[in-house]
Amino acid sequence: MSTPDSPQSVLRHDYAGEGLGEDRLADTPWQQLERWVAEADERARTADDVYEPRAISIATVDASGAPNVRTVLLRFLDPRGPGFVSSSDSAKGLELGGDPRVAANLVWPAMFRAVRLRGVVERIEEDEVAAYWSSRPYGSRISAWASHQSAPVGSRAELEERVAELERRYPDHGRPDDVPVPETWWGYRIRPHEVEFWAGRPSRLHDRLVFTAVGAGGGAAAQDVDLHPSLDDPAAWLVGRRQP
Ligand SMILES: Cc1cc2nc3c(=O)[nH]c(=O)nc-3n(C[C@H](O)[C@H](O)[C@H](O)COP(=O)(O)O)c2cc1C
């Protein structure tokens, strides 16, 4: 039987991070995001405490307004906004179809860093998604066809049977066009109106520097893609500090 942890036994880390001051903050959210993602990628290559540097949690709301969250991988990264791929008829795809508002979170605990984004998603152009699709390993392309993401399935064996069937339908010739892109396999680009850079510091006195798009409001206005400017336009963003 497990017993609750006593306050003394809870593992506490004091964040030895260097923090993030206004003097070192990049001029635009894009430049800061690109820098931190590159540093996390580098850390993943050189240390063993960052395993999946591009894992990002994506929060959506369902038709009743209830939140939902899951992790995906960042597959696109440019000043228009970070992007991921998923199935348009998955739970997240249907939720985003009903309400494009999204919140997302990248976190690198070993680096005492996190990035929070709030905005809307838009569909990534099909040619960009197709180019990325053809770079994926054969097995991943087959799995995308085999999985009706988020739908119930009776057993793992059922899924494996579907994979075997699809391998017969689309044999592996080692070519990028061996398997067509499923119609429901979409790219989603996050167009933020708010980007927060969080840097952990000792004694919980962390840094939080937040870029807010000029003119971005909450509520219905937040769904308007026009209020979600390029991440690399310095005139489009205001910077503020929030309490930790
Ligand atoms: C590290 C990690 C990476 C993942 N990457 C993706 C991804 O890029 N795309 C995706 O659709 N699901 C990805 N998943 C699975 C999702 O977390 C989730 O199970 C799936 O998308 C179904 O979510 P939904 O039912 O809310 O739509 C990943 C999971 C983990 C833990």
Side-chain angles (χ1 to χ4, degrees), residues 191-232:
R191 300 276 308 268
H193 59 264
E194 185 178 294
V195 187
E196 171 177 334
F197 294 91
W198 181 98
R201 295 188 61 176
S203 302
R204 301 290 187 264
L205 206 59
H206 312 305
D207 289 320
R208 299 179 64 191
L209 296 182
V210 184
F211 286 93
T212 307
V214 176
Q223 296 195 40
D224 184 349
V225 131
D226 294 337
L227 294 177
H228 298 80
S230 160
L231 288 172
D232 204 24

Side-chain angles (χ1 to χ4, degrees), residues 2-241:
S2 67
T3 52
D5 283 327
S6 70
Q8 290 76 19
S9 70
V10 174
L11 185 60
R12 299 185 75 84
H13 295 287
D14 204 20
Y15 298 152
E18 57 193 10
L20 179 65
E22 284 80 350
D23 54 331
R24 281 189 301 120
L25 186 72
D27 289 339
T28 65
W30 163 247
Q31 290 162 25
Q32 188 63 42
L33 180 63
E34 191 187 29
R35 184 184 298 169
W36 274 18
V37 171
E39 288 173 7
D41 284 345
E42 176 60 15
R43 176 102 171 204
R45 278 191 290 274
T46 55
D48 59 7
D49 54 9
V50 174
Y51 179 64
E52 201 63 281
R54 294 184 178 226
I56 182 168
S57 300
I58 303 289
T60 51
V61 288
D62 71 14
S64 75
N68 205 351
V69 67
R70 78 291 288 157
T71 304
V72 299
L73 292 178
L74 265 191
R75 295 299 187 189
F76 303 90
L77 190 60
D78 65 57
R80 292 169 296 177
F84 59 94
V85 290
S86 201
S87 171
S88 61
D89 58 8
S90 66
K92 82 182 80 48
L94 296 174
E95 287 162 6
L96 289 169
D99 186 336
R101 289 177 300 174
V102 70
N105 189 209
L106 282 153
V107 58
W108 304 288
M111 301 173 80
F112 317 111
R113 286 179 177 173
V115 179
R116 290 173 66 180
L117 306 120
R118 302 181 75 205
V120 291
V121 292
E122 65 184 9
R123 187 175 175 183
I124 296 180
E125 297 66 19
E126 282 176 60
D127 54 337
E128 280 186 52
V129 174
Y132 168 62
W133 168 262
S134 55
S135 77
R136 285 171 71 93
Y138 173 77
S140 311
R141 284 178 280 151
I142 289 290
S143 295
W145 275 95
S147 166
H148 301 156
Q149 197 176 56
S150 314
V153 64
S155 67
R156 184 166 181 98
E158 245 179 77
L159 272 177
E160 287 171 354
E161 179 47 38
R162 218 178 293 146
V163 165
E165 235 175 82
L166 285 155
E167 286 172 346
R168 288 190 290 275
R169 192 191 314 169
Y170 304 118
D172 183 4
H173 300 297
R175 288 200 313 255
D177 61 353
D178 282 344
V179 188
V181 188
E183 257 178 37
T184 54
W185 202 81
W186 285 24
Y188 293 90
R189 179 181 297 120
I190 303 172
R191 300 276 308 268
H193 59 264
E194 185 178 294
V195 187
E196 171 177 334
F197 294 91
W198 181 98
R201 295 188 61 176
S203 302
R204 301 290 187 264
L205 206 59
H206 312 305
D207 289 320
R208 299 179 64 191
L209 296 182
V210 184
F211 286 93
T212 307
V214 176
Q223 296 195 40
D224 184 349
V225 131
D226 294 337
L227 294 177
H228 298 80
S230 160
L231 288 172
D232 204 24
D233 176 0
W237 298 89
L238 301 170
V239 178
R241 178 178 280 268

